[in-house]
Amino acid sequence: MTSGKIFVFSEINKDNFTEIFQEYDVVTDRIDELDLDLRETVENYRNLSNYDVTFTFQSDFKYSREIRGRVFYFPTYYRSEVWIFFAHDNNYLFVFDRDRPAQFISGRIESILRENGYNNQVERLNISNDALLRIVSEDFVRINSSWWKRIGEDLRAAFLSGRLRDSEGENELYRLIEERAGEITVASYLSERLGFNITISRKKGSISTGRRDVEPSIIVNYFKEVVHPILLQMS
């Protein structure tokens, strides 16, 4: 499974971000009993274009266990692939991992930015209900989400296929869905552009696919080419 949790931040450009993170390697804690320094590092930092950077972020930390009245400390870590798309409206941070590591790493990146004088927040991407409906309508071949069953007795099927728009704009089906679908939290559909199923979650602010062979770059490019233009249109 490839899942990109998406966060938004601003107030720093690509050059200044690179200056902070390209050689980032600090000692954050220590476990004396193990003679072990805990570090936070950025590895394989790459500038891919005028708008993108990618790197691997690892943050070591310790957890404790009490055994027979004594507290022992053990090391663990989060290590995730990170992409950042520096757009004109915002900077979009993609953390390719499960929800908890992604939240932790986004928080650490926010803290590092604050330590370097950038008083901004790194927050989950907010996708409105209307924006999600528009994204799906422009790229789906087949709908997999069960919430489509709520739009009317005549449309209670496992999935819908076809176009939600005609040559003159929104058709009757689109208007019906918009009126009756209610609050959509997750949309899962077969993407025409990608040729495989993807899931967009408003709650997690994520784009994911169950296919393990999909590179993170595919998800980032899908966001840049399909999702981001719609978010700009509806902002």
Side-chain angles (χ1 to χ4, degrees), residues 6-36:
I6 310 170
F7 303 84
V8 180
F9 65 101
S10 58
E11 297 185 11
I12 184 170
N13 61 30
K14 179 183 174 183
D15 291 339
N16 292 336
F17 187 92
T18 298
E19 185 176 350
I20 294 170
F21 285 93
Q22 188 167 23
E23 304 295 335
Y24 184 77
D25 185 346
V26 299
V27 175
T28 58
D29 207 340
R30 180 174 173 80
I31 302 178
D32 290 328
E33 295 84 352
L34 300 178
D35 190 24
L36 177 66

Side-chain angles (χ1 to χ4, degrees), residues 12 16 22 24 30 86-87 91 119 137 159 164 182 198 205 234:
I12 184 170
N16 292 336
Q22 188 167 23
Y24 184 77
R30 180 174 173 80
F86 291 88
N91 303 323
N119 189 27
S137 72
F159 61 84
L164 287 179
I198 64 170
M234 306 190 72

Side-chain angles (χ1 to χ4, degrees), residues 62-164:
K62 62 186 178 184
Y63 66 97
S64 63
R65 290 277 181 85
E66 183 175 340
I67 302 175
R68 296 182 181 272
R70 292 183 60 189
V71 177
F72 296 88
Y73 293 97
F74 301 91
T76 188
Y77 64 90
Y78 287 138
R79 180 182 177 89
S80 302
E81 185 167 351
V82 174
W83 286 63
I84 299 179
F85 167 41
F86 291 88
H88 296 298
D89 59 322
N90 276 306
N91 303 323
Y92 296 89
L93 165 68
F94 297 76
V95 182
F96 287 89
D97 211 321
R98 299 178 307 279
D99 194 57
R100 181 176 294 179
Q103 189 68 42
F104 181 88
I105 287 176
S106 69
R108 288 302 307 142
I109 289 176
E110 177 182 298
S111 297
I112 296 166
L113 290 172
R114 287 179 178 271
E115 291 166 5
N116 284 271
Y118 294 93
N119 189 27
N120 53 19
Q121 292 183 320
V122 179
E123 301 177 312
R124 283 192 183 275
L125 174 67
N126 178 36
I127 303 175
S128 70
N129 192 71
D130 290 341
L132 182 55
L133 180 59
R134 186 62 56 89
I135 293 163
V136 174
S137 72
E138 293 194 1
D139 185 48
F140 88 103
V141 175
R142 184 179 69 240
I143 299 293
N144 306 313
S145 297
S146 62
W147 53 261
W148 287 81
K149 298 177 183 180
R150 297 163 50 190
I151 65 176
E153 291 294 333
D154 54 335
L155 295 171
R156 289 185 180 277
F159 61 84
L160 297 174
S161 297
R163 288 293 182 185
L164 287 179

Side-chain angles (χ1 to χ4, degrees), residues 49-65:
S49 69
N50 292 333
Y51 305 101
D52 296 333
V53 301
T54 181
F55 52 89
T56 301
F57 189 94
Q58 177 166 326
S59 184
D60 306 336
F61 56 96
K62 62 186 178 184
Y63 66 97
S64 63
R65 290 277 181 85

Side-chain angles (χ1 to χ4, degrees), residues 146-234:
S146 62
W147 53 261
W148 287 81
K149 298 177 183 180
R150 297 163 50 190
I151 65 176
E153 291 294 333
D154 54 335
L155 295 171
R156 289 185 180 277
F159 61 84
L160 297 174
S161 297
R163 288 293 182 185
L164 287 179
R165 292 172 177 272
D166 54 30
S167 60
E168 297 180 356
E170 298 173 1
N171 59 28
E172 290 297 328
L173 176 59
Y174 185 92
R175 282 193 290 271
L176 180 64
I177 292 170
E178 195 168 32
E179 291 171 1
R180 301 187 188 179
E183 191 73 10
I184 306 163
T185 57
V186 178
S188 176
Y189 58 95
L190 175 60
S191 165
E192 180 180 30
R193 179 178 291 262
L194 298 179
F196 52 80
N197 289 330
I198 64 170
T199 299
I200 299 179
S201 169
R202 293 182 58 219
K203 181 179 179 181
K204 295 182 178 181
S206 67
I207 302 176
S208 61
T209 177
R211 291 182 50 165
R212 295 184 179 182
D213 59 339
V214 174
E215 295 293 329
S217 61
I218 302 297
I219 300 296
V220 175
N221 287 333
Y222 184 81
F223 176 85
K224 290 167 62 176
E225 296 169 3
V226 177
V227 178
H228 184 242
I230 293 174
L231 296 182
L232 287 180
Q233 292 170 12
M234 306 190 72

